[in-house]
Amino acid sequence: MKNKIFKNSISALTLFVTIIGFAQNKSSNTISLDVYYSKIQNEKNPQIIDARGPEEFALNHINGAVNFNLESKDYAKQIAKLDKTRPVFTYSIGAGRSVWLADDLLKKGFKEAYSLEGGIANWIGNGNPFYVNSKSKLTLDEYNKIIADNNTVLVDIGSKYCAPCKKVKPVLETIKAEYGEKVKIVEIELEESPQVIADLKTVKVFPTLILYQNGQIIFKKEGFSDLKKDVDVILAQNN
């Protein structure tokens, strides 16, 4: 019994480490949004797989996608429903689970399998059509009003299911504590306001940080590393 538990733990750890590795290293099967979209348009009934969790899929997804990943209990059955002779298009929150899934499909004999660079963030963030189960909490008009009504605005765009996005939060708290009312901080999550993210047509990955001053973008950053330092430098240069 102990050996079985140990083996299962090792297997889970190996899968986790492998997925993280794929997330950090772009696979040869990861393609740009333009290529991904073009290939989908060339298919009569494209095979699109959302490799996120079911709770994420229920909130929003690419039109026509089905939901499963390597950890799904019915993984084998889901794979059996697919046509190995036709392309399969995978995506996730970024490019972790989808890369691993596309690679596994190729190992299983599929002719073509592609993962979307930037994942759902890139798809919705560039205004492509998608399913959503609720109305956006923030509209584009409301967003634009916030930008117009405040001298300096720092916008954080991400998802509650995005690990790097979570690391932005304490940095934002530090910025808020130091600058106070001088910098208006706006946090936008895919799960609450997907339509405004789509309307902005400027997001390729999560997190994306945008700094406005007097209604103009003076700084845009993908990822959270050195965020505080970058904001300090930009604000010092523009004050």
Side-chain angles (χ1 to χ4, degrees):
M1 181 65 179
K2 288 183 178 179
N3 287 337
K4 184 177 181 180
I5 294 174
F6 177 75
K7 288 180 181 179
N8 289 340
S9 299
I10 292 297
S11 297
L13 179 60
T14 301
L15 176 60
F16 175 75
V17 171
T18 306
I19 290 175
I20 293 298
F22 274 110
Q24 294 175 341
N25 300 292
K26 184 177 176 180
S27 167
S28 59
N29 298 317
T30 302
I31 57 178
S32 69
L33 176 62
D34 288 344
V35 175
Y36 189 90
Y37 186 82
S38 177
K39 286 181 177 293
I40 285 179
Q41 293 298 105
N42 288 333
E43 294 291 315
K44 186 175 182 180
N45 293 299
Q47 301 182 115
I48 308 173
I49 304 174
D50 185 313
R52 299 177 296 167
E55 66 285 346
E56 297 171 76
F57 179 80
L59 292 170
N60 52 72
H61 55 260
I62 294 177
N63 293 335
V66 295
N67 177 227
F68 65 89
N69 55 50
L70 271 79
E71 295 181 308
S72 300
K73 293 180 180 179
D74 61 346
Y75 181 65
K77 290 182 179 179
Q78 293 284 7
I79 291 297
K81 296 177 183 178
L82 301 173
D83 184 348
K84 288 187 175 183
T85 66
R86 295 173 51 230
V88 178
F89 305 94
T90 72
Y91 70 91
S92 52
I93 192 70
R97 289 167 288 186
S98 60
V99 171
W100 176 251
L101 177 57
D103 186 67
D104 192 59
L105 292 176
L106 291 173
K107 289 178 181 178
K108 285 180 166 55
F110 281 76
K111 184 179 179 181
E112 298 176 75
Y114 304 101
S115 171
L116 173 60
E117 183 179 14
I120 192 73
N122 199 7
W123 182 273
I124 293 180
N126 279 275
N128 290 309
F130 65 99
Y131 164 85
V132 61
N133 74 350
S134 62
K135 186 178 180 181
S136 282
K137 190 175 181 179
L138 181 70
T139 68
L140 183 60
D141 286 342
E142 291 169 336
Y143 178 92
N144 289 332
K145 189 174 188 308
I146 292 172
I147 303 303
D149 290 349
N150 293 273
N151 180 55
T152 304
V153 184
L154 177 59
V155 182
D156 166 34
I157 303 174
S159 164
K160 67 180 181 180
Y161 294 103
C162 160
C165 297
K166 295 176 182 178
K167 295 182 179 180
V168 173
K169 305 308 178 185
V171 182
L172 294 179
E173 289 300 319
T174 301
I175 293 173
K176 188 183 298 182
E178 181 172 332
Y179 289 95
E181 295 182 358
K182 292 180 181 179
V183 177
K184 172 73 173 178
I185 295 178
V186 179
E187 298 178 65
I188 301 175
E189 288 192 341
L190 174 67
E191 294 71 37
E192 294 182 342
S193 301
Q195 191 56 53
V196 72
I197 295 176
D199 291 339
L200 287 172
K201 293 183 174 65
T202 190
V203 176
K204 294 181 180 179
V205 299
F206 289 149
T208 289
L209 288 301
I210 307 173
L211 185 63
Y212 292 84
Q213 197 162 66
N214 300 318
Q216 301 297 316
I217 296 176
I218 61 171
F219 172 70
K220 182 181 176 185
K221 182 180 182 67
E222 296 175 349
F224 66 93
S225 62
D226 295 323
L227 174 60
K228 175 62 166 57
K229 178 182 177 182
D230 290 340
V231 169
D232 289 340
V233 170
I234 295 298
L235 289 181
Q237 292 174 348
N238 289 270
N239 285 327

